[in-house]
Amino acid sequence: MMRRVLIANRGEIAVRIIRACREMGVRTVAVYSEADAGAPHVLAADDAVEIGPAAASDSYLKVDALLDAARRTDADAIHPGYGFLSENAAFAARVESAGLTFIGPSSSVIAAMGSKTAARKAVSAAGVPVVPGETPASQDLAAVRASLGRVGYPALLKATAGGGGKGMRIVRSDDEADEAIAAASREATRAFSDGTVYVERLIERPRHIEIQVMADRHGQTVHLFERDCTLQRRHQKVIEEAPGPTVTPAIRERMTRAAVAAAQAVGYVNAGTVEFLLSGDEFYFLEMNTRLQVEHPITEEITGVDLVRAQLLVAAGERLPFRQDDLSVRGHAVECRVYAEDPASGFLPQSGPLLRYREPQGPGIRVDAGVREGQSIGVHYDPMLAKVIAYGENRTAAFARTTRALEDFDILGLQHNIGFLAALLRDPRVVACDTHTRFIEEHIESFVPGYTDEQLHALVALAAVADGSGDPRDPGSGGRGPGFDPFETLNRGVF
Amino acid sequence: MMRRVLIANRGEIAVRIIRACREMGVRTVAVYSEADAGAPHVLAADDAVEIGPAAASDSYLKVDALLDAARRTDADAIHPGYGFLSENAAFAARVESAGLTFIGPSSSVIAAMGSKTAARKAVSAAGVPVVPGETPASQDLAAVRASLGRVGYPALLKATAGGGGKGMRIVRSDDEADEAIAAASREATRAFSDGTVYVERLIERPRHIEIQVMADRHGQTVHLFERDCTLQRRHQKVIEEAPGPTVTPAIRERMTRAAVAAAQAVGYVNAGTVEFLLSGDEFYFLEMNTRLQVEHPITEEITGVDLVRAQLLVAAGERLPFRQDDLSVRGHAVECRVYAEDPASGFLPQSGPLLRYREPQGPGIRVDAGVREGQSIGVHYDPMLAKVIAYGENRTAAFARTTRALEDFDILGLQHNIGFLAALLRDPRVVACDTHTRFIEEHIESFVPGYTDEQLHALVALAAVADGSGDPRDPGSGGRGPGFDPFETLNRGVF
Amino acid sequence: MATKLRVTIGTREFAASVEAGVVTIDGVEGTFEVAAGADGRWTVRQGDARSVGAALKAQDGTWVTLAGITARADVEGAGARPRSRTSDADALRPPMSATVVRIHVTAGAVVNEGDPLLVLEAMKMELPIRAPRDGVVKAVHCREGELVQPATILVDFE
Amino acid sequence: MATKLRVTIGTREFAASVEAGVVTIDGVEGTFEVAAGADGRWTVRQGDARSVGAALKAQDGTWVTLAGITARADVEGAGARPRSRTSDADALRPPMSATVVRIHVTAGAVVNEGDPLLVLEAMKMELPIRAPRDGVVKAVHCREGELVQPATILVDFE
């Protein structure tokens, strides 16, 4: 086992990794930018090294500073977390050549999966379905029609040169083909001076389903079932759940087999995620993430496995602590990403002090966070405050528990998206899985602002009473000091 | 389903039950004594009714006040929690005759299991093993020897009239019998003016193993495996774990079958626990607890079942949401009971304010508590502050996580038993299961005071620096108010 | 006498008045009973329903949260010093350090509430700045590519 | 100059001195480096090992916790007002409201540290009160069956 792991990350994932290390008797080194002195991950570790100014490019993304911190603290391994340098093959290579253990796949595998085209080619060769698509051999009508026939309907014509929807046409049958090809080509020529079109199968109302895989250096590759991350906003996952509520045993069997095949095709080692689009019974490879995912906790909740612990064991050269047959799904888990953002103004990130920050508690509720009361949320990093994770015996129980947890989350000092998350969870279409990856964008008015008139009235009533200065009920007058009388009576606030 | 449940309890179990109700859409009514105004369970509920002065006999044990509170708040069910009136058959009967649902077994079953003799008789008739014992037909030497022969060696001679160890003799073989009988009888006569002895099999170095059962009104009775509660101090459980680390599949099979038979023998409905002593391969019925146990969370962690939710469903007349085949054990769970007590002075209960109270957090860690920072812990009720519950993939991982959680529990303002709990968890005999129900008493010097010289030195160092008044590092100077600068730098305290 | 409040949830503002337990917002009334609990918590009761929230007086007003919704309130005459980012409804400022990536309007433009005025980029995300209400753009004080700070006025608006 | 501290863990008391990072208790020394973190947390480093604790100054001294162990310290000259329950080492008081169930000593009794002096009952548990050190019982101020309060002196001790 490693002696001392440097965590090249910050926030909740750094805290989560540090906890796993401590529970395994492995020492930890936190790194932090100037803006993060005093942050929870800094105090959670055995050691902490400042690596530069607030800007990530000058600190958390600075390979030399990270390697220097590892050298100075005698660390023998680096865990990259997610984001930052976690999928940077050059960083992994630098870690490897410094003689340290990179807790993740090898730099060559990261590089192979980092190129979308190369990844598609590799997994396709292993029999994993990818979205059918081709550039017609020539751009004349007959050749494009032939491509459409091979790719299958409904299809999408896209300008090879383009983007932003220009030159894009949906084709649902042979009958529509000629007109659509002409229009797409015309539009593409006008917009990009290049009429070349690419033909791709249109995946309608897809769900985003991803398979967690885990492989050791001894030839064992297992999957840990799927997560459904269909609820996205601008390609950012918002709420994830596991297992996939629409994934039948037959689909699960095929998808997990495909994911393991994809991992084995590239000689994958450590934790990874194979992302698919699922539409009806068909699924298509999207990409492989060669790192721990933000949403890994829901897999931990339904399988009972500690994925970070498994990552450390594998990185140390040990065998996976479980075989495929040991793994099973129990119950249902949901994760909500709580952001400092204002849903009512286009999800504008918010900054400010966490004047009050109290996490929800109770059986089956887990909050992974890297912030604390009193901390100021700045502008330098991702505005995610916490992940609320809830386990329940079934999907209904898990949703109810998640909603309860969101209601019990007390955050004062900045705006957040909890009301938006709660509105999503109670939406009948979300409950019925009548959703797809663009569902939030298409129905955003159902979830924003995320509070009712009654709630607004109640907030005003509370504010009017709580504001009364000099009032014995005023919680601002230092109710938390040592001299505080703990048994204030419930002072009826007639106002 | 019930509309509104009154929880006739306080503290962590009231909070836990309220959360389960909220997640099922059931409204809740808290009751509280004068001393508990402002306590967490009061604020957690939809409604709260004060029921009397601090003394439990004037409040939480006052049946009329509880029924009156239920009537006034239009509650249609009462959950008794554990302790207080939870095993009081007369209370259950009053609840029933008031037309309310008692969330537990019927008053007649509580009464039947409340009498140790009647319970022993009932379960024994159902084939459940009880500790062999009898009062000899006459007290002459031959009759007592005959009883000893039937009961089996090693045996215990006890004064029928007595207690406190007087007149008690261990007999290991026929050879020792005559002398022991004479001595026991003589001592009993001297102490109690009654020389009558009772003969019982001596259960040596027993482990306390209990089986969680759950039954509905539709004839289904299931078990949820065992808990090992061997680590006790003065018959108070201290640390519990599940599954039982020494329980083999064969023993589990026999014990769970016995527990289900015991429950069925008395027509048991709702949650209950059948307690056994296990010694070698043999086990003996101790008693049945006709209520939720303090340590129910570890069963929830390893089975994925919410026991309070199941209690509510059963009380509402629904079927159990699982069958025996749906239930299985995954991983390992540990519960530690954190008390306000001073291990170094005979576990003297402590009172005082919780100047700082921060619970440990992280994957697999659950803290069930009914206290909060700023609250004063008084003298009126049980001094349990919180239960630290940890789940791990296996026993080693669960122990490591529990230890980490205990180390991360910050309590200032009164003395507690966390060091004692941590010392128990790292004791090699505890790790190796080389323990029995009197293990803590026999080896108390191994676990008290529960801190090392190094820890004492470090505490002194911290105190010397943290005390410096007017010092920028002084955390007492109001670091928690709204004006607090959240990013204090890590001020090296050279002193 | 009625207490007048200006309540802010994110970028939305509401004018409210409270008198004898009756809250009025845009002519709609609701009746509440509020009680202080321990530890900064408060219970708010409306008819049969009770919920528990938290409140805290801060420099920029009174912050309240209830059932996962957070708002900030300025009470008339309470002397709260609003934070600069919301100090002047006619001067739009960025919520954080950001880069101006696109400007959609010029001085004199007549815009409707919600119309995009400009787009900032921070934390790798685009942040559209929209018109807070119907009105006229008086002046634009930034240019594309400029790094702006929370104190910078982006657009004057009337 | 060395700082003198009296450290209490439950009923145990230790005299300690700290000077230039060196802690001495009963002649045993240890060297530490202490640093303030945020939110009332502190890191304590000894050689290669770092642990994080919390500290708080209260009316009855400075409370500290580290790795699950909690202690209270009175620093000489710091002006901390000890709580009545520990105010006078020569006057034993009950830690809480309790009933005196047994008294083992009478005035004049010579006792050794740890000898049982009397037994209280509270919360359905028996609480033995033991001699804090070798000494002589000067006076017993309670009788069996009496309900005593934290302020009551049970036994004077010298």
mmCIF file of all heavy atoms in Angstrom, chain B residues 10 62 81 200 230 245 273 351 366:
data_model
loop_
_atom_site.group_PDB
_atom_site.id
_atom_site.type_symbol
_atom_site.label_atom_id
_atom_site.label_comp_id
_atom_site.label_asym_id
_atom_site.label_seq_id
_atom_site.Cartn_x
_atom_site.Cartn_y
_atom_site.Cartn_z
ATOM 1 N N ARG B 10 -38.341 11.310 23.299
ATOM 2 C CA ARG B 10 -37.503 12.495 23.145
ATOM 3 C C ARG B 10 -36.182 12.071 22.507
ATOM 4 O O ARG B 10 -35.983 10.906 22.189
ATOM 5 C CB ARG B 10 -37.242 13.145 24.516
ATOM 6 C CG ARG B 10 -36.440 12.239 25.446
ATOM 7 C CD ARG B 10 -36.173 12.848 26.815
ATOM 8 N NE ARG B 10 -35.388 14.062 26.734
ATOM 9 C CZ ARG B 10 -34.056 14.095 26.537
ATOM 10 N NH1 ARG B 10 -33.362 12.978 26.431
ATOM 11 N NH2 ARG B 10 -33.418 15.237 26.452
ATOM 12 N N LYS B 62 -46.104 10.080 31.675
ATOM 13 C CA LYS B 62 -47.451 10.421 32.120
ATOM 14 C C LYS B 62 -48.467 10.105 31.019
ATOM 15 O O LYS B 62 -48.642 10.861 30.063
ATOM 16 C CB LYS B 62 -47.503 11.908 32.475
ATOM 17 C CG LYS B 62 -48.396 12.161 33.665
ATOM 18 C CD LYS B 62 -48.247 13.548 34.189
ATOM 19 C CE LYS B 62 -49.291 13.803 35.252
ATOM 20 N NZ LYS B 62 -49.284 15.207 35.650
ATOM 21 N N GLY B 81 -41.244 4.744 20.680
ATOM 22 C CA GLY B 81 -39.778 4.736 20.702
ATOM 23 C C GLY B 81 -39.257 3.563 21.518
ATOM 24 O O GLY B 81 -39.840 2.477 21.491
ATOM 25 N N GLU B 200 -29.023 -23.680 37.963
ATOM 26 C CA GLU B 200 -29.099 -23.187 36.587
ATOM 27 C C GLU B 200 -27.808 -23.536 35.869
ATOM 28 O O GLU B 200 -26.734 -23.567 36.479
ATOM 29 C CB GLU B 200 -29.267 -21.660 36.623
ATOM 30 C CG GLU B 200 -29.678 -21.041 35.312
ATOM 31 C CD GLU B 200 -29.873 -19.535 35.458
ATOM 32 O OE1 GLU B 200 -28.871 -18.803 35.360
ATOM 33 O OE2 GLU B 200 -31.019 -19.101 35.696
ATOM 34 N N THR B 230 -22.263 -7.960 22.577
ATOM 35 C CA THR B 230 -21.504 -8.559 23.674
ATOM 36 C C THR B 230 -20.799 -7.506 24.525
ATOM 37 O O THR B 230 -20.624 -7.696 25.726
ATOM 38 C CB THR B 230 -20.473 -9.550 23.086
ATOM 39 O OG1 THR B 230 -21.209 -10.553 22.378
ATOM 40 C CG2 THR B 230 -19.626 -10.187 24.164
ATOM 41 N N PRO B 245 -19.882 -11.377 14.402
ATOM 42 C CA PRO B 245 -18.621 -11.849 13.819
ATOM 43 C C PRO B 245 -18.309 -13.310 14.147
ATOM 44 O O PRO B 245 -17.500 -13.918 13.448
ATOM 45 C CB PRO B 245 -17.575 -10.903 14.430
ATOM 46 C CG PRO B 245 -18.205 -10.344 15.655
ATOM 47 C CD PRO B 245 -19.672 -10.311 15.398
ATOM 48 N N THR B 273 -37.254 -7.819 19.073
ATOM 49 C CA THR B 273 -35.910 -8.383 19.114
ATOM 50 C C THR B 273 -35.884 -9.538 20.095
ATOM 51 O O THR B 273 -36.346 -9.414 21.234
ATOM 52 C CB THR B 273 -34.894 -7.318 19.551
ATOM 53 O OG1 THR B 273 -34.858 -6.298 18.548
ATOM 54 C CG2 THR B 273 -33.499 -7.918 19.694
ATOM 55 N N SER B 351 -22.994 16.506 33.178
ATOM 56 C CA SER B 351 -23.939 17.477 32.638
ATOM 57 C C SER B 351 -23.165 18.733 32.283
ATOM 58 O O SER B 351 -22.055 18.940 32.756
ATOM 59 C CB SER B 351 -25.046 17.784 33.645
ATOM 60 O OG SER B 351 -24.478 18.240 34.853
ATOM 61 N N ARG B 366 -23.082 7.367 9.829
ATOM 62 C CA ARG B 366 -24.401 7.886 10.190
ATOM 63 C C ARG B 366 -24.356 8.218 11.671
ATOM 64 O O ARG B 366 -23.862 7.433 12.465
ATOM 65 C CB ARG B 366 -25.433 6.795 9.901
ATOM 66 C CG ARG B 366 -26.783 6.980 10.536
ATOM 67 C CD ARG B 366 -27.714 5.830 10.141
ATOM 68 N NE ARG B 366 -28.916 5.841 10.954
ATOM 69 C CZ ARG B 366 -29.866 4.906 10.911
ATOM 70 N NH1 ARG B 366 -29.749 3.883 10.070
ATOM 71 N NH2 ARG B 366 -30.922 4.982 11.678
#
